[in-house]
Amino acid sequence: MTIQLAIENLTKLYPTGEGVRNIDINVRQGEMVTLLGPSGCGKTTVLRSVGGFVDPSGGDIKITNQSVLHLPPEKRPTAMVFQSYNLWPHMTIYDNLAFSLKIRKKRKEEIKQKVSWALDLVRLPGVEKKYPAELSGGQQQRVALARALLLEPKLLLLDEPFSALDAKLRHELREELREIQARQQLTMLFVTHDQEEALSISDRIVVMNAGEIEQIGTPKEIYDQPSSLFVAEFIGKMNFLSGLAEGSHVKIGSLQFPTIEQLYGPITACVRPEDIVLAGAEGIEAKIDKIMMLGHYAEATLHTLFGKVKMFIGREEMERLQLHDSIKIQFSKIHVFKGTKIHNHTREEIVC
Amino acid sequence: MWYIKSVKKGKIIEFVILILFCIFFLGPLLNLLLLAFSGKWQYPAKLPSSWSLEWWSFVLSDDEVLHSILLSFVIAIVVTLVSIIICIPAAYAFARIQFPLRRMFLFSFLLTNAFPKMGLYVSIGVLFYQFDLMNTFIGIVLIHIINTLMFMTWIPSAAFKNVHKAQEESAQDAGASPFRVFWHITLPMAAPGIVVASIFTFLSSLDEAQGTLLVGIPDFKTMPVIMYSIIADYPSTAGAVFSIILTLPTIILLLAARRFVGADALASGFNMK
């Protein structure tokens, strides 16, 4: 696979001291890579640097092995879809889409044919004569996508394109985008703060925090083997338990777990709710505090010696468990990180 | 009657206020209209006792009057064009560029409206004498522009600000050079605000009397200046005829531009940001 986009040692510092440092990302041809992180983590800065709207302070950006750093946005082989305000309200959809083609001096029949091709692709045939204000938010984003596709970019940049839409529409467009991407063999760099979105559509995810890359990996890698406490906290649901590491094992309260990391001192152990399972007599004492029905599974909040933990219960078990029941649980898998949890926000807060 | 019937009960007070409002605004205009076409109209009579176009033919056959109408329009057009050339780039800069003391500069446009006009004009007059601008066309245009700077900068500036950065950026992304982006995206999107401001500029130049009187006398007599002397020297009918001539362009322009002229376009123009 050839490398379509190479970001090498990119640095951009703003006068306020914020910015991004030492960013290295490679995107292969036909790949969809997501930049994921909380707001202010610098993901948009990276994306806009690639698009040419931000001047990096250092590093290089290569598209198909050619540096594009000296090129203004209009000369770069990229196309960008913004979060909102993509379309020009004084032009019809046709004119919006034909804008770039007219600049490139295409013949009229060709423009016509390409515009209707692009609208077919985003499943909006026949809206050429309408004005953007006559379309819904989701339709406008589709048109914006169509316009970006008409640029025939070597790299498509998407800056939280669906975050202004409601949940259902977001899911729909996500799927469609993935389909179009696969069909057109598009290379994409996608920015989002929504970890669910990132997990569901990416080939690989770049998790960013405070201007630096925390982890790069496939959605599965990021979910199953978070490389830092931040990633563990940001991706998916997670329980945090504080404990003490003593070389070959960690102690969480009275429990002992073997580790291979050889850590010493205070640690945080992370357990996914699905990795908490019902156990026999030797398990940990827990009391069911709350059960939230979430469709094909339920989320139970348990009171234990280590504080509150959340676990998922499947359909069959749901029948057997009652509120305020005492049960025994055990952890089938834990992740151990050095230090204590600093960020105190829950995942829900980050998503909003 | 159907109208009164269609008014709901609770709305009676609103309806009465509306009527009062109409009388208050349209009454004088109606009176003016009657007066302009009247031949004889003595006090107790509710309507003119005879109708005539006598004063219309007087006003419209007077060379000086005709010349003043022409001059007024020429000045208003020149003032509008010059204001656009000066103020649109300034408005764009205020909207898009963060420079030091930006707010202070924007606010300074209000200053000319903060002082009594006549005092301002007299001190400007002193300067104009030194630069030989008294009794010149350029002098009049300059003094009109002083009044129009504020509209012409504030309103288009707000209009430019309403064009989102992403809209300009996506045009650039589509391959348009910065000039093309401005010409095809930013300017057309800000056009309603610019049209509104231009209409105000045109009308305020057409109605400007004080400054013109001071700077343009004796050679440059515009419509409002002539009107002063007509009202003083002739019966009120002549003044009425003249007022209508002076009001017509306002009404025609506002009707033509009512698509653009909205409270929001104005309100956003007077937002200090």
Side-chain angles (χ1 to χ4, degrees):
Chain A
M1 276 279 194
T2 47
I3 301 286
Q4 189 85 349
L5 165 74
I7 301 175
E8 293 167 0
N9 204 20
L10 179 79
T11 299
K12 169 70 188 177
L13 294 173
Y14 290 104
T16 52
E18 290 170 339
V20 296
R21 280 168 298 276
N22 310 322
I23 303 292
D24 280 291
I25 300 169
N26 286 321
V27 180
R28 290 187 284 268
Q29 201 193 340
E31 195 181 26
M32 177 146 182
V33 171
T34 303
L35 300 175
L36 173 68
S39 54
C41 73
K43 55 193 190 297
T44 301
T45 304
V46 174
L47 190 83
R48 291 174 65 85
S49 301
V50 177
F53 298 107
V54 166
D55 264 333
S57 337
D60 201 358
I61 296 166
K62 288 178 183 162
I63 296 174
T64 56
N65 223 9
Q66 277 168 347
S67 177
V68 294
L69 226 46
H70 58 284
L71 294 174
E74 64 266 28
K75 298 257 163 65
R76 294 197 184 191
T78 57
M80 191 139 162
V81 178
F82 296 84
Q83 184 176 347
S84 49
Y85 300 111
N86 277 293
L87 305 182
W88 306 303
H90 62 291
M91 296 182 185
T92 59
I93 299 303
Y94 178 84
D95 288 331
N96 265 281
L97 292 172
F99 187 73
S100 66
L101 300 170
K102 280 179 188 160
I103 288 175
R104 284 187 274 167
K105 306 240 167 12
K106 299 272 194 242
R107 281 177 305 114
K108 210 166 172 194
E109 305 88 72
E110 195 186 341
I111 294 179
K112 231 177 192 159
Q113 180 216 330
K114 282 202 161 186
V115 166
S116 71
W117 167 80
L119 284 175
D120 277 344
L121 200 62
V122 297
R123 296 191 196 167
L124 273 178
V127 297
E128 281 97 336
K129 290 212 175 75
K130 290 193 174 177
Y131 281 89
E134 297 171 72
L135 301 183
S136 70
Q139 290 173 326
Q140 289 184 20
Q141 287 307 79
R142 281 169 206 238
V143 174
L145 183 64
R147 192 178 62 195
L149 294 174
L150 281 174
L151 290 172
E152 291 165 9
K154 287 183 178 161
L155 181 66
L156 187 58
L157 307 170
L158 300 112
D159 187 3
E160 310 212 14
F162 308 139
S163 65
L165 308 174
D166 64 63
K168 198 166 168 229
L169 207 54
R170 209 155 55 212
H171 281 269
E172 243 176 74
L173 283 181
R174 226 182 255 168
E175 261 175 55
E176 270 177 44
L177 179 68
R178 199 64 166 124
E179 269 169 39
I180 292 171
Q181 191 248 349
R183 219 177 325 150
Q184 304 291 319
Q185 279 298 300
L186 294 168
T187 312
M188 288 199 205
L189 196 58
F190 187 99
V191 159
T192 182
H193 62 261
D194 183 345
Q195 48 98 22
E196 191 197 321
E197 185 164 271
L199 290 172
S200 63
I201 60 171
S202 318
D203 290 317
R204 281 190 303 149
I205 298 175
V206 178
V207 184
M208 291 184 66
N209 180 33
E212 281 171 42
I213 294 178
E214 291 271 339
Q215 186 174 2
I216 301 182
T218 63
K220 191 167 157 37
E221 282 164 7
I222 301 255
Y223 189 83
D224 288 341
Q225 293 137 34
S227 67
S228 69
L229 195 53
F230 175 82
V231 177
E233 198 185 344
F234 196 69
I235 307 289
K237 295 210 170 183
M238 193 67 102
N239 292 299
F240 298 95
L241 310 166
S242 46
L244 209 63
E246 292 170 346
S248 61
H249 61 273
V250 292
K251 275 186 170 168
I252 303 165
S254 59
L255 295 174
Q256 269 202 16
F257 294 93
T259 61
I260 45 166
E261 272 114 344
Q262 293 294 323
L263 299 170
Y264 291 93
I267 52 100
T268 303
C270 307
V271 190
R272 293 244 178 248
E274 64 266 33
D275 292 335
I276 299 182
V277 289
L278 294 170
E282 75 282 10
I284 309 156
E285 194 85 27
K287 203 174 138 206
I288 302 175
D289 213 28
K290 210 177 4 176
I291 297 180
M292 261 202 303
M293 178 68 190
L294 295 172
H296 65 284
Y297 68 101
E299 184 191 281
T301 308
L302 309 174
H303 249 312
T304 69
L305 279 173
F306 326 112
K308 272 187 186 170
V309 295
K310 291 188 170 172
M311 76 177 285
F312 292 153
I313 344 177
R315 241 177 206 297
E316 322 80 67
E317 289 155 339
M318 237 185 280
E319 311 288 313
R320 287 191 282 125
L321 298 176
Q322 295 281 315
L323 213 59
H324 309 307
D325 273 0
S326 279
I327 53 170
K328 300 266 183 172
I329 54 165
Q330 66 182 29
F331 306 145
S332 65
K333 189 176 166 195
I334 66 169
H335 308 279
V336 175
F337 296 104
K338 218 175 158 165
T340 47
K341 197 160 83 93
I342 322 152
H343 312 280
N344 232 355
H345 43 225
T346 60
R347 203 189 62 65
E348 278 81 359
E349 272 169 343
I350 298 167
V351 170
C352 299
Chain B
M1 279 324 274
W2 62 269
Y3 183 75
I4 294 174
K5 266 182 199 158
S6 70
V7 175
K8 289 196 189 85
K9 262 189 186 160
K11 303 251 173 169
I12 293 227
I13 295 174
E14 281 156 56
F15 183 70
V16 169
I17 291 176
L18 178 74
I19 295 289
L20 285 177
F21 189 78
C22 286
I23 293 171
F24 188 76
F25 267 92
L26 300 178
L29 282 178
L30 192 67
N31 188 46
L32 195 71
L33 213 58
L34 288 176
L35 191 60
F37 292 99
S38 67
K40 219 169 163 197
W41 193 0
Q42 237 104 45
Y43 161 62
K46 295 247 167 31
L47 284 171
S49 46
S50 70
W51 303 93
S52 111
L53 291 173
E54 180 190 349
W55 290 104
W56 282 92
S57 63
F58 165 75
V59 167
L60 292 178
S61 61
D62 188 323
D63 269 353
E64 198 188 18
V65 172
L66 282 180
H67 182 248
S68 82
I69 293 174
L70 188 70
L71 182 68
S72 273
F73 276 91
V74 170
I75 288 176
I77 289 167
V78 170
V79 166
T80 310
L81 290 179
V82 173
S83 296
I84 287 174
I85 292 167
I86 294 175
C87 296
I88 297 305
Y92 188 76
F94 277 119
R96 280 283 182 261
I97 307 169
Q98 287 293 335
F99 50 87
L101 300 179
R102 181 179 151 272
R103 277 179 67 108
M104 212 194 78
F105 279 118
L106 199 55
F107 203 67
S108 68
F109 288 102
L110 198 59
L111 282 180
T112 53
N113 289 24
F115 295 113
K117 278 283 155 60
M118 219 44 190
L120 190 72
Y121 291 149
V122 168
S123 53
I124 289 174
V126 174
L127 275 175
F128 275 18
Y129 268 119
Q130 284 173 11
F131 293 107
D132 277 333
L133 287 169
M134 281 312 229
N135 196 15
T136 59
F137 188 80
I138 298 174
I140 295 175
V141 169
L142 280 178
I143 214 136
H144 284 198
I145 286 176
I146 286 169
N147 287 317
T148 62
L149 275 181
M150 191 179 78
F151 301 133
M152 256 337 238
T153 312
W154 283 18
I155 297 175
S157 174
F160 282 132
K161 215 176 272 177
N162 282 338
V163 180
H164 286 263
K165 206 90 208 127
Q167 283 162 332
E168 288 181 340
E169 282 175 349
S170 46
Q172 212 183 346
D173 199 53
S177 61
F179 175 75
R180 223 183 177 125
V181 173
F182 182 78
W183 191 250
H184 287 290
I185 307 298
T186 318
L187 199 59
M189 281 180 67
I194 294 170
V195 169
V196 168
S198 303
I199 288 173
F200 276 122
T201 299
F202 185 84
L203 294 178
S204 85
S205 167
L206 209 58
D207 290 342
E208 214 288 334
Q210 292 176 324
T212 319
L213 193 62
L214 198 84
V215 176
I217 288 294
D219 292 348
F220 293 90
K221 289 185 183 160
T222 59
M223 269 200 289
V225 172
I226 292 261
M227 196 160 127
Y228 275 134
S229 54
I230 285 189
I231 288 172
D233 299 344
Y234 293 92
S236 56
T237 315
V241 169
F242 217 81
S243 305
I244 287 173
I245 295 177
L246 206 53
T247 319
L248 270 180
T250 313
I251 293 172
I252 292 169
L253 266 177
L254 288 181
L255 280 181
R258 71 182 182 284
R259 194 155 69 88
F260 302 119
V261 184
D264 48 340
L266 278 184
S268 61
F270 293 97
N271 238 334
M272 286 300 273
K273 262 186 276 171

